[in-house]
Amino acid sequence: MPAGLITDSGRVLMARLLRGDTLEGITHCAIGDGDDSFANPLDPPSPSRTQTALKHECARKKYYKRSFLRVDPAGQALLVVNGVHYLETTSPTNIIGVSFVFDETEANGITVKEYGFFGGGVAYIQGHTSDYAEGGVYNAVSNPSGKVLNPGYLYEIKNLPDFNKVADTRIELVGVIKV
């Protein structure tokens, strides 16, 4: 499966972070069920560098862990991303892992065909206090049930072939960023 695509807005986020702007890096993961372009479930469309959002965001969650990683040359580490084994370390490295978990009830009923990592000022609507938000980006006319007020910068996006997710399935995603 191909790696995710760093978007143009993700590059802007990195540039702002390197400049020292006061904002957070990758903080949220969104999952979605795509749109009509996902016609063949085994051959998803390629994402676009110019995308700033998922095609159809269903849920979003804040990270539960961010850590420095190093490659495990022995290949024994339990964290495996794209076939590479990683170990967490307290020493700063050029590899960062950002971990997200959507519990069974949070991912219930979503056929995950796309996901994206967001950062740089994600905010939920006023009064929403959970780390989990459903319904996508709020818009008074087109999506009044959305819980995301400011989506932030879409850093990386990936379209997935249908992996036959069923109701009540826990989803864990780890973004590994090498700088």
Side-chain angles (χ1 to χ4, degrees), residues 10-45:
R11 295 168 198 277
V12 170
L13 174 61
M14 288 295 291
R16 289 192 64 193
L17 290 167
L18 289 169
R19 189 175 81 170
D21 287 1
T22 306
L23 50 98
E24 282 194 88
I26 307 302
T27 57
H28 289 76
C29 178
I31 55 176
D33 59 8
D35 63 7
D36 292 341
S37 66
F38 287 76
N40 180 349
L42 299 178
D43 185 23

Side-chain angles (χ1 to χ4, degrees), residues 13 24-28 63 66 98 100 117-120 155 177:
L13 174 61
E24 282 194 88
I26 307 302
T27 57
H28 289 76
Y63 70 91
R66 292 191 289 194
V98 187
F100 305 89
F117 298 125
F118 289 81
Y155 175 76
I177 298 124

Side-chain angles (χ1 to χ4, degrees), residues 6-121:
I6 307 297
T7 66
D8 290 344
S9 69
R11 295 168 198 277
V12 170
L13 174 61
M14 288 295 291
R16 289 192 64 193
L17 290 167
L18 289 169
R19 189 175 81 170
D21 287 1
T22 306
L23 50 98
E24 282 194 88
I26 307 302
T27 57
H28 289 76
C29 178
I31 55 176
D33 59 8
D35 63 7
D36 292 341
S37 66
F38 287 76
N40 180 349
L42 299 178
D43 185 23
S46 296
S48 167
R49 278 184 45 182
T50 59
Q51 275 184 254
T52 57
L54 300 184
K55 296 288 185 182
H56 185 244
E57 181 175 326
C58 297
R60 184 181 289 232
K61 191 146 185 201
K62 188 173 183 178
Y63 70 91
Y64 76 88
K65 178 173 61 174
R66 292 191 289 194
S67 54
F68 288 110
L69 302 175
R70 67 177 173 85
V71 175
D72 175 18
Q76 301 299 312
L78 295 179
L79 175 58
V80 182
V81 178
N82 293 330
V84 179
H85 293 253
Y86 294 98
L87 292 168
E88 289 186 23
T89 178
T90 56
S91 301
T93 69
N94 68 329
I95 306 171
I96 299 167
V98 187
S99 302
F100 305 89
V101 171
F102 290 87
D103 293 326
E104 291 88 348
T105 57
E106 296 169 337
N108 191 12
I110 301 170
T111 300
V112 180
K113 295 182 181 177
E114 59 180 343
Y115 72 81
F117 298 125
F118 289 81

